[in-house]
């Protein structure tokens, strides 16, 4: 049986209320029980507040005392309202009714009752009653009806978000605004439906309100939705935090009004800001190097996915740069960059194609005829006229692209290439402002590409000159085996002035020389050639190494070479002696037959071109089978690694290298150089053969 307050018990609890924060929060509920004799056998905490009787005053007394008498029999236990409540509750199992009740102070008011039977463990039956004031229940019903009508008919968008800022409820007005059914919102993040380009400011605003911040009134936000991807909207948000009810989570409630027409200027300003932001990023990110391919990749990386879903950059392969464009002839291009967020076949098509042929009458020809950006739909007519290969045309049609914007890359009055930007159906169509933006992007990229192209031509000239000035084949003689490597730096760095040579001298003697002219490009290559030829001519006269470097220093100063390094080694196979002199160059390494590596740095002087400091020669004996390593600083110096660390690494690699000299050279370069070296590198390995031991005594 349910417990009941006993006579004389103190009241420890107040009235039972509904959950805080709900519409029922302030509706008191009285709970009481009637036994089979119609007497009060349970008096809940809220009953005293509703009827005015303390538990000690009413328990075991007739329940008829709770109702006003209306006649001689109405207060009777078997015919009054209390009796009807008990009888209907037992007979129906549940009965709902409104009845007037009598307060202890004599006042009468209406209450709503819910009655139902409860069977105790001993088999007895009790009718439980729940009662609340009718005026409070009517108020709650009116509020609920108002909210239902509000969500169903209100022309203003209404939204409820949970504490994770996911949709809990939206009305039809907001669903229509978003272009999506209301059920499709539920459980999705607000920022997934209301897409802004404000760097996350809208999301931060929602989070601040959800965390109990100050409500916002009439805050304007520019956005797009997946249901209307081609429509910029401005909405006015009035947001407030939802109170935390028992067992529920807090969140955000809000009213949303579409004020797009009123705030058209804001939309235009937002779009203009997007374009300016994109141009700012383009200015910062395009042209960071003087490499053509890198510059083209920077352009497509800026455009995708911010501006479009796919982009390619192509250079026109003119037979003669001065020739005029002839629309009757096919146009040949070389695709140097591509990026897309499309289907895999389309991405492979865009990124895998290198040489492209456009037939006369293509959209590319149309663009060339005007010299201005054009926008074309991706349809059968476009693919038939522009894409010569039928399979490629089908891939493009199935890619999801619906329009392509084609812009010329014009530099120094000549169309150097084209940039294409494609959009799928999920994006709005290209506008006149987009055409202008594409033209700006193409113009910026064209200047950078032209500079990179001209620089690449200079690089090619410098590299050709350098390779022409370096020896094609070395003739070390019978007592020396040589492996040599020259690796130019990456395309984004200029050709340096590294050089090497092996010079045959009278009496089977051999000179090994390696040097590095500071600087890059054609001047460095020319200076390198001058020093190499001078060193070769001087070496044949057999001077001491320090005398040869003195002459080279004089040559450098007379030629305007400000700084160059050099290492000169003269080896005599009949004595096994080597004479060594250096001018600011990394030291000679000698790998002895037992695998130990010796660093010979005693003869290192100042660089060539400095002048005023004498050079000196040191002598050492080289055992049969020893391997000499001469190299330039590109092998041991790299970003994030100083020369001492690099030299130690080279010593270790030389010590454990085995096999032929060619194999040793390859292993050392693989271990020492990064994937994209930033400086030229020379490595010369020479193994001593048949060296005559020095005479005793």
């Amino acid at each position: 049986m349910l417990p009941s307050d006993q006579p004389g018990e103190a009241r420890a609890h107040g009235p039972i209320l509904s959950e805080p924060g709900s519409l029922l929060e302030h509706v008191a509920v009285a709970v009481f029980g009637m036994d089979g004799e119609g007497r009060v056998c349970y008096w809940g905490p809220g009953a005293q507040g509703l009827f005015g009787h303390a538990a000690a005053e009413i328990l075991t007394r007739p329940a008829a005392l709770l109702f006003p008498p209306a006649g001689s029999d109405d207060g009777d236990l078997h015919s009054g309202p209390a009796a009807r409540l008990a009888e209907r509750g037992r007979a129906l199992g549940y009965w709902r009714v409104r009845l007037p009740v009598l307060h202890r102070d004599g006042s009468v008011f209406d209450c709503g009752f819910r009655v139902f039977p409860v069977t105790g463990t001993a088999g007895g039956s009790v009718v439980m009653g729940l009662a609340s004031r009718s005026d409070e229940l009517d108020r709650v019903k009116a509020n609920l009806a108002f909210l239902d009508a509000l969500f169903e008919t209100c022309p203003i968008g209404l939204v409820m978000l949970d504490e994770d800022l996911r949709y809990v409820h939206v009305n039809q007005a907001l669903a229509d605004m978003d272009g999506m059914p209301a059920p499709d919102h539920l459980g999705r993040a607000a920022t997934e439906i209301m897409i802004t380009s404000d760097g996350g400011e809208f999301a931060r605003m929602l989070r601040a309100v959800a965390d109990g911040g100050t409500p916002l009134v009439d805050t304007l936000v520019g956005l797009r939705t997946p249901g209307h991807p081609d429509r910029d909207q401005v909405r006015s948000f009035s947001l407030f935090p939802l109170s935390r009810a028992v067992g529920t989570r807090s969140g955000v409630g809000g009213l949303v009004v579409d004020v797009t027409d009123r705030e058209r200027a804001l939309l235009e300003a937002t779009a203009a800001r997007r374009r300016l932001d994109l141009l700012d990023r383009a200015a910062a990110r395009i042209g960071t190097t003087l490499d053509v391919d890198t510059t083209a990749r920077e352009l497509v990386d800026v455009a995708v996915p911010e501006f479009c879903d796919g982009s390619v950059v192509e250079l026109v392969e003119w037979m003669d740069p001065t020739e005029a464009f002839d629309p009757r002839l096919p146009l040949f291009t070389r695709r140097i960059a591509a990026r897309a967020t499309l289907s895999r076949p389309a991405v492979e098509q865009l990124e895998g194609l290198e040489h492209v042929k456009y037939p006369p009458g293509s959209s590319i020809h149309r663009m060339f005829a005007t010299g201005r950006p054009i926008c074309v739909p991706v349809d059968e007519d476009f693919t038939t006229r522009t894409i010569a290969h039928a399979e490629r045309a089908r891939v493009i049609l199935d890619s999801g692209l619906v329009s392509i914007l084609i812009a010329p890359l014009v530099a120094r009055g000549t169309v150097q290439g084209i940039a294409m930007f494609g959009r799928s159906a999920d994006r709005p169509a290209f506008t006149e402002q987009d055409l202008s933006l594409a033209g700006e992007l193409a113009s910026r990229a064209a200047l950078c590409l032209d500079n990179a192209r001209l620089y690449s031509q200079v690089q090619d000239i410098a590299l050709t000159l350098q390779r022409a000035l370096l020896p094609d084949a070395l003739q070390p003689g019978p007592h020396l085996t040589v492996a040599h490597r020259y690796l130019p730096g990456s395309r984004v760095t200029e050709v340096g002035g590294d050089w090497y040579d092996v010079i045959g001298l009278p009496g089977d003697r051999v000179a090994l020389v390696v040097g590095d002219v500071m600087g890059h490009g054609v001047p460095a290559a020319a200076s390198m050639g001058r020093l190499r030829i001078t060193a070769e001519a001087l070496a044949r006269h057999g001077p001491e190494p320090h005398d040869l470097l003195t002459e080279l220093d004089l040559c450098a100063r007379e030629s305007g070479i400000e700084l160059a390094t050099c290492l000169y080694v003269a080896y005599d196979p009949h004595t096994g002696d080597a004479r060594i002199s250096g001018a600011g160059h990394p030291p000679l390494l000698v790998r002895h037959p037992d695998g130990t590596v010796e660093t010979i740095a005693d003869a290192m002087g100042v660089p060539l071109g400095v002048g005023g400091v004498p050079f000196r020669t040191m002598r050492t004996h080289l055992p049969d089978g020893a391997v000499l390593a001469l190299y330039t600083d590109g092998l041991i110096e790299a970003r994030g690694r100083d020369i001492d660390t690099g030299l130690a690494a080279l010593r270790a690699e030389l010590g454990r290298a085995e096999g032929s000299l060619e194999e040793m050279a390859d292993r050392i370069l693989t271990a020492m150089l990064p994937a994209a070296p930033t400086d030229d590198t020379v490595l010369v390995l020479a193994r001593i053969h048949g060296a005559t031991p020095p005479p005793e005594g």
Side-chain angles (χ1 to χ4, degrees):
M1 187 71 68
L2 291 170
S4 63
D5 287 344
Q6 300 300 320
E9 276 190 346
R11 292 181 71 245
H13 306 284
I16 299 175
L17 298 179
S18 60
E19 294 178 345
S22 72
L23 288 172
L24 299 173
E25 180 179 358
H26 302 293
V27 178
V29 180
V31 182
F32 64 96
M34 298 177 291
D35 61 17
E37 299 299 324
R39 299 182 182 276
V40 177
C41 62
Y42 178 82
W43 198 246
Q48 179 174 347
L50 185 64
F51 294 100
H53 299 282
E57 298 171 346
I58 197 66
L59 283 171
T60 73
R61 301 190 68 185
L65 296 175
L66 304 176
F67 301 93
S72 60
D73 296 330
D74 287 354
D76 183 74
L77 182 65
H78 302 291
S79 61
R84 289 199 298 274
L85 284 176
E87 185 273 327
R88 292 298 181 94
R90 287 190 176 93
L92 300 178
Y94 178 82
W95 191 45
R96 182 177 63 183
V97 68
R98 286 196 177 196
L99 294 171
V101 300
L102 177 64
H103 193 271
R104 185 176 181 276
D105 63 7
S107 61
V108 177
F109 54 88
D110 281 345
C111 277
F113 287 87
R114 307 289 190 274
V115 291
F116 51 90
V118 176
T119 302
T121 56
S125 175
V126 172
V127 173
M128 298 300 300
L130 307 178
S132 298
R133 291 183 64 101
S134 294
D135 54 356
E136 292 181 353
L137 290 174
D138 290 342
R139 175 176 55 82
V140 169
K141 288 181 179 179
N143 287 338
L144 291 174
F146 170 76
L147 289 178
D148 287 342
L150 183 66
F151 265 88
E152 289 178 4
T153 63
C154 180
I156 296 175
L158 301 175
V159 62
M160 291 175 59
L161 306 173
D162 64 18
E163 63 181 6
D164 296 323
L165 303 180
R166 296 183 178 276
Y167 287 93
V168 175
H169 194 42
V170 297
N171 69 340
Q172 191 58 44
L174 183 57
D176 292 341
M177 235 183 276
D178 292 337
M180 298 172 56
D184 290 354
H185 290 69
L186 304 184
R188 298 176 68 175
T191 52
E192 187 180 345
I193 304 297
M194 294 179 283
I195 304 169
T196 64
S197 59
D198 57 6
E201 182 61 29
F202 178 62
R204 288 190 290 271
M205 178 179 72
L206 290 176
R207 172 49 55 198
V209 175
D211 291 341
T214 304
L216 299 177
V217 178
D218 197 21
T219 300
L220 300 182
V221 177
L223 55 84
R224 288 179 180 173
T225 68
H228 296 302
D230 58 344
R231 184 187 306 170
D232 286 311
Q233 300 181 39
V234 178
R235 295 183 182 178
S236 170
F237 286 84
S238 295
L239 305 171
F240 49 88
L242 296 176
S243 60
R244 183 183 295 273
V246 176
T248 64
R249 300 186 299 175
S250 63
V252 174
L255 291 80
V256 186
V257 180
D258 187 347
V259 294
T260 303
D261 293 338
R262 188 187 81 190
E263 302 294 339
R264 181 63 59 183
L266 177 61
L267 274 182
E268 295 175 355
T270 300
R273 186 172 64 249
R274 285 199 188 101
R275 292 192 292 271
L276 289 175
D277 288 345
L278 184 59
L279 287 175
D280 286 342
R281 288 194 295 275
R285 295 171 55 184
I286 298 175
T288 59
T289 70
L290 287 172
D291 179 70
V292 173
D293 293 342
T294 300
T295 301
R297 284 195 300 271
E298 290 168 344
L299 172 57
V300 298
D301 287 343
V302 165
V304 179
E306 177 70 20
F307 181 63
C308 59
D309 298 300
S311 178
V312 298
V313 176
E314 299 173 4
L315 295 182
V316 179
E317 295 185 327
W318 299 109
M319 296 298 294
D320 180 355
T322 61
E323 68 178 306
F325 168 68
D326 189 342
R328 298 168 299 177
L329 299 177
L331 192 66
F332 297 91
T333 66
R334 180 170 62 89
R335 185 167 295 173
I336 58 175
R339 184 182 176 188
T341 57
L342 303 168
S343 63
R344 180 180 295 275
V347 173
E348 293 175 350
Q349 175 68 55
L350 294 177
E351 296 180 352
L353 194 61
E354 182 177 0
H355 296 283
V356 187
K357 174 185 176 181
Y358 294 106
S362 72
S363 299
I364 311 301
H365 284 71
R366 283 178 49 203
M367 184 274 296
F368 268 85
T370 64
R372 299 176 60 83
I374 63 170
C375 184
V376 295
V378 178
D379 52 21
E380 293 284 354
D381 181 67
F382 166 77
T383 55
T384 301
R385 291 175 176 272
T386 305
I387 304 176
H389 196 283
E391 183 178 347
R392 294 173 186 161
R394 178 49 52 189
V395 170
I396 295 300
L397 285 173
D398 295 339
S399 67
L401 291 177
V402 296
S403 60
I404 292 179
L405 196 160
I406 309 168
L409 299 172
V410 182
R412 294 181 294 116
T414 302
V415 178
Q416 308 285 352
I418 55 176
M420 289 189 277
F421 311 94
R423 284 184 179 176
S424 66
D426 293 334
R427 289 181 183 261
F430 287 114
T431 64
E432 287 297 325
Q433 290 78 13
D434 291 328
L435 283 172
S436 176
L437 176 59
E440 287 283 344
L441 289 174
S443 295
R444 292 172 185 246
L447 292 175
C448 295
L449 283 169
D450 191 54
N451 289 336
R453 183 182 60 82
L454 294 175
Y455 176 77
S456 294
Q457 292 177 351
V458 174
Q459 279 285 82
D460 291 339
I461 293 171
L463 187 59
T464 301
L465 175 61
Q466 187 181 46
R467 287 175 173 169
L469 293 173
L470 290 174
D472 293 330
L474 302 179
Q475 303 295 330
H479 302 289
L480 212 62
T481 303
V482 174
H484 55 97
R485 298 287 188 275
Y486 166 71
L487 277 74
S490 68
R491 295 291 297 177
V492 297
T493 58
E494 292 189 84
V495 172
D498 293 16
W499 55 283
Y500 62 94
D501 207 348
V502 177
I503 306 167
L505 304 177
D508 294 331
R509 292 178 296 115
V510 180
L512 297 95
V513 59
V514 63
D516 184 3
V517 176
M518 299 300 105
H520 297 88
V522 174
S527 298
M528 173 273 291
R530 183 179 291 110
L531 290 180
R532 174 182 172 266
I533 293 171
T534 301
E536 182 180 16
L538 291 172
R540 298 191 185 281
H541 294 285
E544 287 295 320
H546 63 273
D547 292 329
L548 183 140
L549 291 184
T550 300
E551 292 296 327
L552 282 182
D553 177 64
L554 179 61
C555 174
R557 283 181 283 149
E558 291 177 347
S559 302
I561 301 172
E562 295 182 356
L563 199 65
T565 66
C566 184
L567 175 65
Y568 184 85
V569 180
Y571 169 66
D572 187 343
H574 298 295
T575 64
D577 289 339
R579 293 169 297 154
I580 306 164
S581 186
H585 200 82
L588 173 71
L589 298 183
V590 179
R591 183 184 190 274
H592 290 272
D594 62 1
T596 60
V597 177
E598 177 185 4
T599 302
I600 300 178
D602 294 343
M604 295 299 103
V606 300
L608 303 176
V610 174
V613 181
F615 301 97
R616 64 192 187 89
T617 298
M618 72 156 292
R619 296 176 181 269
T620 187
H621 179 72
L622 301 177
D624 186 21
V627 175
L628 311 183
L630 295 84
Y631 51 93
T632 57
D633 59 3
L635 185 62
I636 60 174
E637 186 177 20
R639 180 175 299 175
R641 182 183 69 187
D642 60 29
I643 289 182
D644 291 338
T645 302
L647 182 58
L650 177 58
R651 285 173 52 89
E653 292 296 333
L654 182 62
R656 56 175 163 260
E658 298 291 344
S660 67
L661 290 183
E662 299 292 337
E663 294 171 336
M664 291 173 64
D666 290 338
R667 290 195 185 101
I668 290 172
L669 291 177
T670 300
M672 294 293 298
L673 293 182
T678 58
D679 196 7
D680 291 9
T681 298
V682 163
L683 174 63
V684 177
L685 298 180
R687 177 174 280 133
I688 304 299
H689 293 292
T692 303
E696 296 182 0

